[in-house]
Amino acid sequence: MIRLIIVDDDPFICDSLKTILSAQPDIEVLGVGYDGEEAVGLYRSHLPDILLTDIQMPGLSGLDAAAAILAEFPKARIVLLTTFSDDEYIVSALRMGAKGYLIKQDVATIAPALRLVMADQSVLGNEVIDRIDDLFYGEKPADPAASQASESPLAALSQREFEVAEQVAQGLDNREIAAKLFISEGTVRNMVSSILQKLGLKNRTQLAVLYYKGR
């Protein structure tokens, strides 16, 4: 079972998500909250597998709540719900190390995304992926040379490292990457750590963003 906390300042959205996700046979909603303070309190009380929270809320925002929770529980799995107007918050949350960023209107994608997060994968809504250039790096440069320079971090990877990075960006876990590339799971683990260190990244989500930016 995925033990879940849901937080959104809109009671209708919060209750709708609870109803929809509770209907899934492998998801148990432990509680709901309506602001960042409640998110922190509910997390401390229940220690859920995943916290699903809106980013923009009055008082303590979902982003601030995520920061407080991750400071206290570094392995917390936090998935943030966003809208198209949350661009600056998506970037901040990405750098912070949240496990996912989903568009709240795409309700059908939420349960599958939570399952991926439980499998230690990071998730990005399709709309977020489509907007990575604008969200994370600003507008694409018109100058081809500048464009090539902006893509240079991935050029630091060996061919094998790039192949591993590509699989990470596609959402595969270490075991799946090992099977696909015919290498050991331990080798994959070591290569992912090396790639993150070489590129100055904190987690697999940031690697996925950099990969998609460079496509």
Side-chain angles (χ1 to χ4, degrees), residues 185-195:
E185 189 171 347
T187 298
V188 175
R189 188 182 308 110
N190 291 337
M191 289 186 71
V192 171
S193 296
S194 176
I195 290 167

Side-chain angles (χ1 to χ4, degrees), residues 82-99:
T82 185
T83 65
F84 294 113
S85 62
D86 290 331
D87 292 2
E88 62 188 274
Y89 298 102
I90 295 172
V91 174
S92 297
L94 180 65
R95 290 171 175 158
M96 182 187 304
K99 291 294 185 181

Side-chain angles (χ1 to χ4, degrees), residues 192-207:
V192 171
S193 296
S194 176
I195 290 167
L196 295 178
Q197 183 176 12
K198 185 178 291 188
L199 299 178
L201 304 175
K202 294 181 179 180
N203 53 53
R204 297 166 79 103
T205 301
Q206 290 185 353
L207 177 57

